[in-house]
Amino acid sequence: MAWSVGGHASRRLGSHARAASVRWLSATSGSEVTTQIEFARSAQNDLQAVLQGHTATPLKRLKRLSEVGLTLWPKELPQWRVALPVVVGKTPSDLSAEIAHLSSLERAACLRTLCRCKGGGASPEAAINMLEVLVKGKKGTRGLAAELSTEELLLCIIELSEASFLPHNLSAAPAPIREFVEKAWHKLAAVELEKPKTRLSTSDLHQLRAAVANLQLEVRGLENVLRRRLQHFGKKKEHGRASPHPVADAVKSGLLIGQLTSLRTEKLREAMLPSNLAPSDAAHLLKEVVPTNGTWTSGHLFAVEMAEHRLRGSMHSLSRSDLITAIQGAHAIQVTQDPRALKVAHSVLKFCWHLIPMQHLNPEEFASVLVAYTWAARSQGPAFLAPKAGSDQLPPREFLLKAFDEKISSLPLECLARCLTALAPGLSGTHDEAERKLVQAAVAKVFPDEEPKDSFREEYLQGEFRDMPTTALLELACGMAEFRIKNPTFMSTLLAQIEEDIKPAAGGQKEPVELTHLLLLRLCRSMEIWQGLSVEDMLTQLLSDPVAMRQLPPNYFAAVLSALSTYNVPKELPLSLVAFFLDRTDAGDVKPATKEWVQILEVVRKVDEPPWWERVTPRVLQTLVPHIQDLDGSDLSRLLAVLGHRPNTTRFGGKTRELSDGLAEQLPDAVTSAVSNALDAGGWDFGKAVRALGNLANLGWYQEQCIAKLLERCASSTLLEPHSPLVTPLVQACNQLQIYHAPLLSKVLEWYVWSCAFLRPNPMQTEQITDLLTFSEQLLELNYHSLQLQDLLAKQLRNPNATAAQKLALLAALARSSHFPVEFKDVCQEICSPISDMNLGALTPKELMNAFNIHLCAIFDGPAALRHWLTTDPIMKDFFQVHTSQRWYQGQDQLRIAFMQSEAYATLKSAIEAEGLDLQPTAAGEVYHIEFASENAKARLSDPAAEPPMALVCIRSKEQLRWYVPVMVDVDTDAATLVEQNRCKEFKYMFRDSVQKIRHLQAMGYRTVVVWLSEWNELESEDARRAYLRMAVGSPSRQNVAFSPSTAVEQEAFE
């Protein structure tokens, strides 16, 4: 039912009491937007108005509140949360004279009212002193317990067990309070044995048991009573008060006393049949039958299935409280994660969804609804529920977030902690950014950082925090951190209370905090807020003990490792945990899913340095390789990213110290095969395909069928604006994998030029020019030339946002393309001038070598006027021949030294001498390093009548294309046809620096001879090498011709 005020009680108690409930209704319906402190202050003002005229002593205030509160106000009303300092005050009072005028029922009402009161700023000693006076009774009596009925005693015991100001252990309470509880307990137990006609119902006994357990009293006698009740269930009518939910209470009794066989008794099973089960009883049965240890039996499943079947056709007959009970039962099932029971839970949640009176839920009920449906939506997907009627067709998730935003100011902090836990990222750890911002704004609205600081605020927060269990405080702190809610005042108060709860006193010891799997994960994800606190020590101790982590399921273990990897923890910590986890896996104790191994590997790869790699990385990979085919597309993409994350420290593709020979061979084949299957299944989009190419390039893995399918997926995709960040990585991956797919490159280039014209500002920003230079560099490496690209580069020469270093790189790119626009000379003069802002000291060696290409390419490929100017102008000569040429010649000499130390040099020299060729290694200081050249080459070059000297050039493997598809091939060609049309199967193609090198050597007058080192190094005998060399220096033929991607016309001569 909704909160309401009605009848004679309303008129008798006055307008202020009604105003408090009306204000509560207004707040819960979301019609008022206020901070939580203002809401609490308003509730306290209402309370003071109700007590007006009755404020002389604490006891009079308490009596007045008992008349109003017990009659009108539900426990969830916010006035109770601020009542303790108003009623009790901050100092104990002498109440012995006043207590004599109260009857036993009035004292019982005052006791129950006092136990409901909460709030900071009051003295717990004053509240305990008042409670002590209330339970003593009048002089000459046996105390309050002897004067009250069993019904009233039961209510008092329940309220006492929930009192916030009493110590958790009743033995620490004053003697009169302990005596009252013990006498009440004995009296209630005696009723069961001596007065069966007035005995409590089974439902009452469950409430009593929970209260007695909270007060840490012996409950064995009560369990014997429940056992007798269960044995007589259905045999005869119970005496005393009837239980409102007999079947649910009987099931709960059986589970409490550990008598699971009761679920299979004939009478109880007959009562659980839908035809015999009342709808309200079915709702409670759904909640009570859930096994506390998470182990489902056929008896449990039968009960929940019968309850769901009964509820299916009678949801509309349930009261609001029964509806919420059914939802709470469904959530209790969700927590166990049993797949059979989950179907029942989700079915119930679907039935309940359209019946929930969201506007009239109290905070506890709303939190239960939010938690259950958020869990369901996360596991079942957004299509789990249809939009709720009257919700403006909002999707369920958005509808719940809107309700959260409306109700947050009235939520107690413990309910807020539950809501933030439900909305927090789950195992994946990923937030929907829009959702995160919405929750962040909602919490910041009710807890603004700029809110004025006063004593009420501090006392209210301290009271709320003090009444919350430690786990709820931890959940609230994690929620604030996860949603990036910055409120230093709130957080400092919260963390201080957590520290007080956890940190043991000097010489003492605190009770251990029971952490759920999810809470441990959230604590690890919020590690930054625990620095210097006892929580950090607690986590350090827990995580440093692999045995203590044994209870974590594999999915949570992997998530905890991922959380730790984001912080600067000692690398031995995650690695030792993984090593222990591997030992447990080998022993058969745990069986992680394949995707969890990927997550574990992701953490290990960040820290696997010697000596740990010998224990961890190979073992994880050895376990993972046989199951890679089981990964779905997203997890397979993640695995590729993990493997390609650190290519410079570990090469998985060959025999390394990290992997055994067998594993090093199995891993590339397993991964590329799985990628091919994922592409065949259609689960990868353009982004995944591009990232896969990039990771395969980093790893150095080249498998033709897999590459063909990735290229097919990229070439057949329609490029859209969100693909902009992927274009440059795609071309870079093609360059690294030595792939020249002209149709794809042409398509990508056209889209890139179009995006620069229509999606980017004009003129381009500095960072966009950097991206253009990177993009063009990859195409130039592939020897792909385009007038469109040249025009785009030339346009940036006059871009006011381009830096001097960027203009130098633009000139180099244009020169390497043999394109010299009209702006070329002016811009070159501008940046090479001594008054330019060019900082040569800031350029990298690679950038300086690239800058020399401006001079070099202009000399060989540029117009005569430009060549003359570059070679005669003093400024140009100084800039290029002094500043940049040094780095260029150093690079050529380094290539020369490396070659002369290689095995290829020795075998080539031997074959040349055996063949009697007049070739010799070139000296240092040449503009291009030539592996072998004719004797007296320089003299022959300067003599027009002399025969051209020979230049033997070795093409390294990284300068030889693996894949060449000409531009005339259709861009939508399927993978199988692409493999067939790879021209590298018939001809050899060079790319990168070797193309420019041979072009310029030929321009100098050399007759170039090419030796492909990929072929040369495979030759095993001297005779084979001599034969290869004879063919290379012979007349051009199909066997010895060397192509680059730009020499298609030459290629046609050999087809």
Side-chain angles (χ1 to χ4, degrees), residues 742-1034:
L744 175 60
L745 295 177
S746 176
K747 175 180 178 177
V748 167
L749 177 60
E750 287 182 13
W751 188 88
Y752 190 90
V753 173
W754 179 88
S755 67
C756 289
F758 296 100
L759 300 181
R760 292 184 175 181
N762 187 15
M764 284 188 188
Q765 301 299 313
T766 304
E767 61 275 8
Q768 293 167 341
I769 299 174
T770 300
D771 179 70
L772 171 61
L773 287 168
T774 304
F775 179 75
S776 62
E777 171 68 20
Q778 302 305 316
L779 289 177
L780 288 172
E781 288 268 312
L782 285 166
N783 205 35
Y784 184 90
H785 300 287
S786 164
L787 291 176
Q788 288 178 300
L789 180 61
Q790 292 166 2
D791 291 343
L792 184 59
L793 291 169
K795 184 179 178 181
Q796 307 312 313
L797 290 176
R798 292 301 183 187
N799 189 328
N801 298 321
T803 64
Q806 287 177 330
K807 289 182 179 180
L808 190 67
L810 287 167
L811 290 172
L814 289 168
R816 291 169 65 189
S817 302
S818 301
H819 184 67
F820 302 93
V822 293
E823 306 95 335
F824 192 94
K825 178 179 177 181
D826 294 337
V827 175
C828 188
Q829 188 172 24
E830 172 192 328
I831 63 173
C832 297
S833 170
I835 62 172
S836 169
D837 58 356
M838 168 64 67
N839 181 7
L840 289 172
L843 297 180
T844 65
K846 184 178 180 180
E847 289 172 331
L848 286 169
M849 290 176 64
N850 193 35
F852 188 69
N853 272 314
I854 301 172
H855 175 83
L856 197 60
C857 293
I859 296 299
F860 285 106
D861 307 322
L866 182 63
R867 289 202 303 268
H868 177 74
W869 175 69
L870 286 173
T871 55
T872 58
D873 186 270
I875 295 177
M876 295 299 103
K877 291 174 64 177
D878 179 71
F879 184 86
F880 289 111
Q881 296 182 15
V882 175
H883 297 300
T884 63
S885 63
Q886 182 181 2
R887 285 294 182 183
W888 175 271
Y889 284 100
Q890 284 179 355
Q892 296 302 313
D893 286 344
Q894 288 171 1
L895 290 175
R896 176 178 176 273
I897 293 170
F899 173 71
M900 296 186 73
Q901 293 175 348
S902 68
E903 184 180 353
Y905 168 74
T907 55
L908 266 170
K909 184 179 179 182
S910 174
I912 289 170
E913 291 174 351
E915 287 296 312
L917 299 175
D918 64 337
L919 297 176
Q920 61 183 14
T922 55
E926 295 292 336
V927 67
Y928 282 110
H929 159 59
I930 306 174
E931 281 74 10
F932 289 92
S934 299
E935 295 180 5
N936 302 318
K938 290 185 178 180
R940 293 164 66 178
L941 287 174
S942 60
D943 184 359
E947 182 182 353
M950 184 186 302
L952 188 149
V953 178
C954 292
I955 306 297
R956 294 171 292 175
S957 296
K958 68 177 184 178
E959 296 174 327
Q960 180 180 351
L961 285 176
R962 290 168 168 162
W963 195 298
Y964 173 67
V965 177
V967 73
M968 67 282 297
V969 174
D970 186 1
V971 72
D972 294 324
T973 302
D974 62 85
T977 307
L978 273 178
V979 173
E980 294 175 1
Q981 294 184 344
N982 180 7
R983 301 294 179 90
C984 290
K985 294 179 178 295
E986 302 178 63
F987 298 95
K988 295 178 286 293
Y989 292 84
M990 69 184 80
F991 75 124
R992 296 181 177 160
D993 295 340
S994 60
V995 177
Q996 177 179 303
K997 175 180 178 178
I998 286 185
R999 186 174 76 247
H1000 288 175
L1001 288 176
Q1002 290 172 346
M1004 293 165 63
Y1006 282 101
R1007 179 171 81 88
T1008 55
V1009 172
V1010 170
V1011 171
W1012 303 88
L1013 290 182
S1014 60
E1015 295 178 337
W1016 182 264
N1017 291 331
E1018 293 295 322
L1019 302 175
E1020 297 180 354
S1021 67
E1022 179 74 12
D1023 291 341
R1025 286 191 282 268
R1026 291 178 63 182
Y1028 184 96
L1029 190 58
R1030 284 195 299 271
M1031 180 190 67
V1033 300

Side-chain angles (χ1 to χ4, degrees), residues 657-715:
R657 65 176 184 176
E658 184 169 3
L659 303 180
S660 64
D661 294 350
L663 184 57
E665 293 173 359
Q666 295 170 16
L667 186 59
D669 292 341
V671 172
T672 53
S673 175
V675 170
S676 296
N677 293 338
L679 290 164
D680 290 339
W684 278 23
D685 57 11
F686 178 76
K688 282 190 174 68
V690 171
R691 285 187 285 270
L693 279 171
N695 288 313
L696 290 175
N698 288 342
L699 291 162
W701 292 352
Y702 180 88
Q703 200 278 333
E704 196 170 57
Q705 293 295 331
C706 177
I707 295 296
K709 292 178 180 180
L710 287 168
L711 292 175
E712 177 193 4
R713 180 56 49 87
C714 293

Side-chain angles (χ1 to χ4, degrees), residues 533-695:
L533 300 177
S534 297
V535 176
E536 184 180 36
D537 298 334
M538 177 183 71
L539 289 174
T540 301
Q541 182 178 1
L542 179 62
L543 296 171
S544 300
D545 183 6
V547 178
M549 298 287 286
R550 183 189 293 269
Q551 300 179 17
L552 271 183
N555 54 349
Y556 278 95
F557 177 81
V560 166
L561 280 180
S562 294
L564 292 176
S565 68
T566 61
Y567 296 98
N568 188 25
V569 300
K571 61 182 64 177
E572 292 81 5
L573 176 60
L575 290 169
S576 61
L577 289 174
V578 173
F580 183 78
F581 186 79
L582 285 162
D583 292 339
R584 293 182 59 210
T585 304
D586 293 342
D589 295 341
V590 290
K591 295 181 179 180
T594 309
K595 66 177 183 180
E596 288 154 10
W597 282 119
V598 175
Q599 198 170 355
I600 292 171
L601 180 64
E602 184 176 24
V603 176
V604 171
R605 291 301 299 148
K606 297 177 182 178
V607 292
D608 60 342
E609 296 176 356
W612 287 100
W613 55 263
E614 292 182 343
R615 295 183 54 190
V616 180
T617 300
R619 293 180 65 189
V620 174
L621 288 171
Q622 193 73 53
T623 306
L624 181 60
V625 164
H627 307 288
I628 287 177
Q629 294 290 348
D630 300 335
L631 294 171
D632 61 24
S634 297
D635 291 323
L636 181 59
S637 178
R638 184 177 185 180
L639 172 62
L640 258 178
V642 171
L643 295 176
H645 176 62
R646 299 172 67 195
N648 293 329
T649 57
T650 300
R651 300 295 290 189
F652 288 104
K655 298 178 181 179
T656 67
R657 65 176 184 176
E658 184 169 3
L659 303 180
S660 64
D661 294 350
L663 184 57
E665 293 173 359
Q666 295 170 16
L667 186 59
D669 292 341
V671 172
T672 53
S673 175
V675 170
S676 296
N677 293 338
L679 290 164
D680 290 339
W684 278 23
D685 57 11
F686 178 76
K688 282 190 174 68
V690 171
R691 285 187 285 270
L693 279 171
N695 288 313

Side-chain angles (χ1 to χ4, degrees), residues 228-240:
R228 285 198 301 271
R229 294 268 183 108
L230 187 60
Q231 290 171 350
H232 293 91
F233 176 80
K235 294 182 179 179
K236 58 182 180 179
K237 185 178 180 180
E238 288 189 15
H239 294 291

Side-chain angles (χ1 to χ4, degrees), residues 140-253:
T141 65
R142 291 179 297 170
L144 183 62
E147 302 172 20
L148 297 178
S149 65
T150 54
E151 291 82 358
E152 197 68 32
L153 274 178
L154 176 63
L155 294 175
C156 289
I157 291 293
I158 292 172
E159 296 287 1
L160 273 170
S161 69
E162 299 172 355
S164 63
F165 52 82
L166 280 178
H168 295 299
N169 193 334
L170 190 65
S171 60
I177 299 176
R178 295 200 308 272
E179 291 172 4
F180 170 79
V181 173
E182 290 167 358
K183 289 180 180 178
W185 162 235
H186 290 308
K187 184 174 181 179
L188 290 170
V191 167
E192 176 69 24
L193 300 175
E194 300 170 7
K195 301 178 181 180
K197 292 187 178 182
T198 60
R199 68 184 183 179
L200 302 175
S201 68
T202 305
S203 179
D204 293 335
L205 288 176
H206 289 153
Q207 292 185 68
L208 178 61
R209 182 190 181 281
V212 170
N214 284 344
L215 294 168
Q216 300 187 5
L217 293 177
E218 178 62 52
V219 295
R220 187 176 303 164
L222 189 53
E223 291 180 350
N224 292 333
V225 173
L226 292 175
R227 185 174 287 104
R228 285 198 301 271
R229 294 268 183 108
L230 187 60
Q231 290 171 350
H232 293 91
F233 176 80
K235 294 182 179 179
K236 58 182 180 179
K237 185 178 180 180
E238 288 189 15
H239 294 291
R241 298 173 62 179
S243 177
H245 313 107
V247 177
D249 287 334
V251 169
K252 184 175 182 179
S253 297

